[in-house]
Each structure stands twice: as structure tokens, then as C-alpha cells.
Amino acid sequence: MPITRRGLLLGVPAVGALTALAGYGRAGAARASAPGPSGQLELYSWWTEGADQNGLLALLADFKGRAPLLACYNGARSSRAAAGPQAELERRLAAGDPPDSFQCHAGAELAGRAAAGRLAPLDQLYRQQGWAERFPAELLPRLRGEDGGYYGVPVGIHRTNMLWSNPAVLSRAGADPAPRTVAELLDSARRVARSGPVGLAVGGSWSCRHLWETVLLAGVGPQGWDALWRGTGWDSAAVAAALRDLRDLLALSNPADRSMTGWEDATALVASGQAGYQVMGDWAEAYLRGTLALRPRVGYDWAAAPGTDGVFQYMSDTFTLAAGARHREAALAWLAECGSLDGQLAFNGAKGAIPARTDLPPQALALFGPYARWSLDQWRDGVAVGSLTHGVVASAAWGARIDAALTVFLADRDVPRFQDALVRAAGG
């Protein structure tokens, strides 16, 4: 099953992760005996580089056993749109030219696309696969549209409220690898800055919103966080204090033009010893361990973001069935793969997320590194709350109003003005 990359057909690399476990390889071989759909399938995913791409390729390699005669290609990979793959997806959906299955965040983003008529329901597939009993109860409501139907199949769960650090830098500075509060992080970041490196590495674009929401979660707690997305609490003293914390953290961050710095660049500052800390989701772990080949707890370290221990702020990427998909049966086979146990193990072992399925056999843990095993325990034991930055808790329109307010704040660092703008954003 080839993938098209910029017009070229590439063979899918063998992953080998599942065949390393007794029994899983036999399952893949059994699927290969039933060839499944043939023809073409257009996927649309912005996972086109690095660890992100590795996860997608691992999932596609496992899918080859289910549909060896199917030719897949990633429309986002072949797109030349200057505005980026997500803007190009919006253009195509509006023009009635959808890919067969495209990536979408679980939660408000998914529900919004369903309400706009962009997605076909998946209730029958959910019944066939028994997914309502195999996906987490916390996640299931985020996979539904406003009509109660299922519209997305999750491929994994990422934790977003994570703190990454460089152990050598922290040791020289006398800084804490797991500060319990934002105040403690500020103290440790100042220690790092006095020793030479940047205290906190921050990327551009959505990375600043990601940092903001993590600091805000620490300030208001999980119950206060949920209340914010019901429209209450934006004018509180707790929000004001969190915005002051954000201002102070930004003062300790890299002074470079962040509009040109992606999250990987900020992660690389930590990895190379040019920065002490970074607040970022756990896709950073796949970059540190996989792309940069650093040893866990030696070349890099991790902890829950300060003030959020015991809270698992999550996002979940799903794949969907587009309304009007040209290759519907092929897309349904792909979605069955996305939700399958083998597919989830292959994908998440390469991507750095944890499987969405709750029925993981104990021996499957051998596929994952120490961070992922820790994260699985955290997911099972923690309080789950959704991410704003990654589409879970707020509509696209509300998110756009927040982005506009944050852009002004990043320029003027005026806390009262920012809080007033957030209050207005919540009111629509």
C-alpha cells in the first residue's frame, strides 16, 4: 500500500513493533489473507514530518495488512497551499472537494465540523467495532456531534500540561526538575537564567496559547477550568493572578522572534542546553527520544506542569469520514484500523501518545518507553480536562477571539487589558 508524497509513490516502511510481541504478528498476517478494499484512499493529515510522520507511517504500515491492495495518499503532503494544510483543508471542504478521511481534534472542533455538515456519522461502525465499550468514558462525549452521533475515531491521547527540562542545565543552576507551583517554576527559571541559558523556551504561533492555557489551568484548577468554558469566572482574581504568572514567565523566555519559531525549535533549545525548561505537550517526548535520540531521565526529564499534578489535560486526534467521501468503503476500512488495538499500538508506540483504547493487554507495555508507561498511569489515575489550544473545549470562533486578545497581550503585556478582552471573548 503506497503513500504519495509530493507526487511520488513511497513504500510504507515495516514497523516491526507488533510482531515483536507474540500473537500480534499473527493477527496482522490473518488480516492480510483477506485483502479488503482496493482502489484509492485520500487521507488528509498534517503529520508530515518528524515523529508525527513516524506515527502516521506506523499506522499505515499496520493498515497494509488489512488492505494490501489499497493505494493511500496524504492530500496535505502534496498540497502547495501557502496558507498551510489546515487552511487548505478548510478551502476544500467549503468547495465540496473533501478528502475521504481527514484529521480533526476530538471535542468542540469535531462537533463544529459535524454541525456544519462536513462529516458523515459513524454510529454503525462504532456498533460493529464495540468502541463505546473500548474507548474511555471521559473521551466518548468528545467524539459525538450535537445530535449525539459519533463522528470521529481517536488514534491516541496526548497530555498537554507537561514540563520538559534539561537535567544537566538544571543541575548546574540548582533548579528543580519538578516544581510543584508556578511560583517555584519562576524561581527555578530565574536560577537557570542567572547561570546562562534561557529559563523557559517558548515557540511561536499556538505555542504561546499552549503555555497560556497551562498556566491558566494551574491558576484556576480543574473545576475552575471547566467553569471557564461554560462562560463563567473570567473576571476572577485567580485568572488575573494566572495572567501575571504568564507575564513573568514570558519575561524569562527566549527573546528571539517567536513568530518564526516552532515548538520543535523551542524543544531543541532545551535538548541542546540553551534553555532549562519548556511547557509543551508530550509529542515533545517523541521528538526528544526519537528524533534527537536522547535518553529519558538523562538527556531530558519531565514532570506535570507546575500546579497541575494529578490533572491530565488532554487532546485527542481523530480521523473522520467526510460527508461526500469519494471512496467511502476504503475510508471506513481505514477508520476501523485507526480504532483497532493493533493500529493504536503501532501508532502510539511511534508517535509518543498513549492509546485511546482501554483494553490494552499487559504485554503491550513492552512497546512503550518509560514516559508513555508513566503517562498511562497518569491518565488512569488523574482528573481529565480538555485542551483549548487543541480543539477540545471551545468553538473555533471563541478560540479566534482569544487568539486576538493574546496577540495584543504578547505585544503589550498589559494584564488588566488582557483579562477584560477574555471576559468579552467569553461573551461572544
Side-chain angles (χ1 to χ4, degrees), residues 183-258:
E184 290 181 5
L185 174 61
L186 283 164
D187 177 71
S188 284
R190 291 185 183 109
R191 290 172 182 264
V192 170
R194 287 196 294 268
S195 71
V198 170
L200 180 71
V202 181
S205 180
W206 56 265
S207 298
C208 292
R209 180 166 56 161
H210 186 110
L211 173 63
W212 166 71
E213 74 166 355
T214 308
V215 173
L216 185 57
L217 173 62
V220 302
Q223 291 183 341
W225 178 259
D226 288 341
L228 291 178
W229 307 111
R230 295 192 297 269
T232 63
W234 288 101
D235 57 352
S236 69
V239 169
L243 300 185
R244 290 192 293 270
D245 285 341
L246 175 65
R247 177 197 61 198
D248 295 344
L249 284 168
L250 289 170
L252 294 165
S253 66
N254 41 302
D257 179 5
R258 286 195 205 93

Side-chain angles (χ1 to χ4, degrees), residues 299-346:
Y300 65 97
D301 208 347
W302 64 83
T308 70
D309 190 29
V311 181
F312 196 112
Q313 189 176 37
Y314 73 91
M315 58 85 71
S316 178
D317 286 289
T318 77
F319 278 91
T320 63
L321 175 63
R326 286 183 291 272
H327 309 102
R328 178 184 173 86
E329 293 306 311
L332 287 170
W334 162 248
L335 293 172
E337 168 68 27
C338 290
S340 72
L341 183 59
D342 279 0
Q344 298 233 333
L345 290 174

Side-chain angles (χ1 to χ4, degrees), residues 108-109 206 209 212-213 229 234 387-407 418 421-422 424-428:
E109 181 180 316
W206 56 265
R209 180 166 56 161
W212 166 71
E213 74 166 355
W229 307 111
W234 288 101
S387 165
L388 164 70
T389 302
H390 306 283
V392 181
V393 295
S395 68
W398 193 352
R401 295 192 295 270
I402 289 173
D403 279 346
L406 179 59
T407 298
F418 187 24
L422 293 172
R424 292 194 299 273

Side-chain angles (χ1 to χ4, degrees), residues 288-304:
L288 290 161
R289 176 177 51 87
T291 304
L292 301 183
L294 298 178
R295 289 178 59 195
R297 300 295 195 191
V298 177
Y300 65 97
D301 208 347
W302 64 83

